[in-house]
Amino acid sequence: MFTSVLMVEQPLSAADVELVTTLHDETMSFVVLMQPRGNEDRLLRSIDDVALGELKQAVHEADEPEGEGAEGPAALALEHSLRSLREAGSEAVGQLIEGHPLDLLRSVVDQTHADEVIVLTAPHLVEEFFHRDWASRARHKVGVPVLKLYAHDDQEE
């Protein structure tokens, strides 16, 4: 069985599930780490929205729950993602990220003997430009390959 640690920040869409479950020709097992929205990310998300031409989304960034208010929606998104992966025939467990995401990532990779890390996020232009995104930083923290993929919205399908 091939084990992947999957870092996400939004619920997996059907296209995301198909993408990650068909990456390898063997049965997949996933450990999903869901990052709730944080207050410190609002400015970067707004800049990314503007750079990507998503002006309506940038205006509504302040309306999105953050901090403790984001934990409930994140837990629902995690459960949806786990259910979708299981329905696709994969094993899947997961947890919300409470502390520093990369510290948890390294710990989970070590504990599960994961074969790879998949970072599945929306584009983060500012962080990517400065190599401060999860995938860039994870490559220096874990001893397994790190694959960066862009998440799909359900509206795109």
Side-chain angles (χ1 to χ4, degrees):
M1 179 159 313
F2 197 88
T3 302
S4 295
V5 177
L6 182 59
M7 292 186 70
V8 299
E9 57 191 5
Q10 64 188 41
L12 296 179
S13 68
D16 294 333
V17 171
E18 182 178 353
L19 177 62
V20 299
T21 58
T22 59
L23 284 173
H24 304 285
D25 290 334
E26 49 192 297
T27 305
M28 298 287 295
S29 172
F30 293 95
V31 178
V32 181
L33 303 178
M34 170 67 70
Q35 174 71 54
R37 286 179 165 269
N39 295 330
E40 67 279 355
D41 301 330
R42 182 184 302 163
L43 177 61
L44 288 176
R45 289 192 311 263
S46 296
I47 292 170
D48 287 339
D49 291 338
V50 170
L52 292 168
E54 301 288 338
L55 300 179
K56 288 182 183 178
Q57 182 65 25
V59 170
H60 294 290
E61 280 296 340
D63 300 337
E64 295 288 330
E66 296 176 338
E68 288 183 16
E71 290 176 11
L76 291 173
L78 176 61
E79 189 53 42
H80 165 80
S81 298
L82 294 174
R83 185 174 44 255
S84 297
L85 289 166
R86 291 175 188 139
E87 288 171 358
S90 296
E91 292 182 11
V93 296
Q95 70 183 78
L96 294 180
I97 298 171
E98 294 179 7
H100 193 278
L102 296 177
D103 292 339
L104 178 61
L105 175 64
R106 180 176 18 195
S107 172
V108 169
V109 167
D110 290 343
Q111 290 172 6
T112 63
H113 305 289
D115 297 294
E116 70 182 356
V117 171
I118 300 171
V119 178
L120 185 69
T121 69
H124 296 290
L125 301 177
V126 175
E127 291 173 326
E128 290 170 19
F129 180 79
F130 291 107
H131 303 286
R132 301 300 304 153
D133 58 300
W134 284 349
S136 296
R137 294 186 303 164
R139 287 184 180 102
H140 301 288
K141 282 241 184 214
V142 298
V144 297
V146 176
L147 178 62
K148 180 178 184 169
L149 301 172
Y150 290 116
H152 297 83
D153 287 329
D154 283 327
Q155 294 96 6
E156 293 175 10
E157 297 172 9

